[in-house]
Amino acid sequence: MPELLSIGDFARATHLSVKALRHYQEQGLLEPAETDEVSGYRRYDLAQIPTAQIIHRFRDLDMPLAEIREILRTPDPAARNALIARHLRRLEDQLVRTRDAVASLRDLLEHPEAAAPITHRHLPARRVAAVTAEDLDVADIGAWYHGALGELFATLGSQGVPPSGPAGGVYAESLFTLEHGRATVYVPTATEPRPAGRVRTAELPPVELAVITHDGPEAGIDRAYGALATYVTRHALAVAGPIHEFYPVSFHDTPEPARWRTEIGWPVFSTVEAFHEPRRDERP
């Protein structure tokens, strides 16, 4: 004979509320062992306590109900473990993002004025190996950037074409203002590679830039953008045009985000006064 508990006793035994138990039944996660056809009273088997405890722990880890249901319905242990491991990796990634955000916020509070120097840079017209997205959603830009830059380096490597400088990117104003727009990542080369996949040769027009450097992962890069905007606005230098980024050290060079270095270029007027040899004592 099964040993049954009322829904109230089962709630006390598992630390899952009656409301939660009813919701889990509706979602197909945890069906009562018996339901009285007249009164509707639910009763649970003692053997269901471990399953309820598993659900409770998964919910503590913010696992979606659909994934919990998939795990509970998967009979193969290896497949179940793979599903659980996928969620744990997601939690680890979220923990890294949270840690980076906390560190960035603490640094912002302790050092409200960014100290990175700003220099000026003239870039002539260049032919580069590039991958371009004509109407990229800003929510997809991180995955797109990693995929496009990885494809560029893989294509150049397979063709024996070495880079002649650091990789870079060109990002339309609409990506920042409308959350979608044109984006290009590129690698300069001394010789043109053959077209392959998404990789094509592109012509980049000449441009004058005010440039600031951001060291480390993407978290906190908005501070560098803010400092650069402050500088070009105060000096009345800003002109319309896409933002440029350069990646002297990226994920392609090292898996350690703390060692990454990104240079951000804001388009500016070219004037005799503004464009001198780079000075390291300039501050935003």
Side-chain angles (χ1 to χ4, degrees):
M1 291 290 292
E3 299 174 282
L4 301 180
L5 296 172
S6 69
I7 191 171
D9 287 342
F10 194 73
R12 282 190 285 271
T14 60
H15 287 196
L16 293 173
S17 69
V18 169
K19 180 180 179 181
L21 289 170
R22 288 172 177 163
H23 182 57
Y24 294 159
Q25 179 186 2
E26 292 171 357
Q27 296 299 314
L29 288 176
L30 189 59
E31 295 282 346
E34 290 183 2
T35 302
D36 189 285
E37 294 182 0
V38 177
S39 65
Y41 289 162
R42 299 166 173 86
R43 295 185 181 277
Y44 292 81
D45 196 306
L46 288 176
Q48 293 179 287
I49 289 178
T51 301
Q53 291 170 336
I54 290 172
I55 294 172
H56 197 174
R57 280 157 177 74
F58 282 151
R59 292 300 292 154
D60 284 344
L61 293 174
D62 295 324
M63 182 178 285
L65 295 181
E67 292 187 18
I68 298 175
R69 182 169 54 247
E70 186 178 5
I71 289 170
L72 295 177
R73 293 179 178 179
T74 301
D76 179 56
R80 284 200 308 269
N81 290 341
L83 292 171
I84 296 170
R86 182 180 65 184
H87 184 68
L88 293 178
R89 286 193 298 272
R90 192 159 59 228
L91 289 176
E92 289 168 351
D93 292 342
Q94 181 179 341
L95 181 61
V96 170
R97 291 194 298 270
T98 300
R99 185 174 62 241
D100 289 344
V102 169
S104 178
L105 178 58
R106 181 176 292 116
D107 184 62
L108 177 60
L109 295 174
E110 294 175 354
H111 308 96
E113 293 294 329
I118 292 175
T119 59
H120 295 269
R121 184 177 301 175
H122 168 76
L123 296 178
R126 294 153 292 151
R127 289 183 67 80
V128 296
V131 173
T132 296
E134 292 297 338
D135 192 22
L136 182 66
D137 193 307
V138 73
D140 301 325
I141 198 166
W144 177 85
Y145 159 76
H146 280 82
L149 197 57
E151 184 176 347
L152 274 166
F153 280 117
T155 299
L156 295 179
S158 68
Q159 297 185 17
V161 178
S164 60
V170 184
Y171 303 100
E173 285 185 80
S174 62
L175 276 165
F176 302 90
T177 58
L178 303 177
E179 298 187 348
H180 63 88
R182 193 172 196 267
T184 296
V185 291
Y186 64 86
V187 176
T189 58
T191 58
E192 290 188 15
R194 299 185 303 277
R198 295 180 294 173
V199 177
R200 297 289 185 273
T201 298
E203 183 81 28
L204 299 182
V207 65
E208 315 286 353
L209 301 170
V211 179
I212 193 170
T213 299
H214 169 73
D215 292 315
E218 184 179 355
I221 199 171
D222 59 326
R223 295 193 65 196
Y225 267 86
L228 189 57
T230 299
Y231 174 84
V232 298
T233 300
R234 285 177 175 172
H235 291 77
L237 294 173
V239 297
I243 290 290
H244 291 248
E245 290 188 351
F246 308 92
Y247 312 112
V249 185
S250 70
F251 69 90
H252 177 75
D253 306 293
T254 173
E256 301 177 32
R259 296 173 57 190
W260 296 349
R261 188 165 74 254
T262 302
E263 297 171 345
I264 305 158
W266 197 294
V268 293
F269 285 110
S270 174
T271 67
V272 175
E273 179 180 353
F275 285 90
H276 46 67
E277 289 298 314
R279 281 183 14 213
R280 288 294 173 182
D281 59 347
E282 292 180 291
R283 295 291 187 272

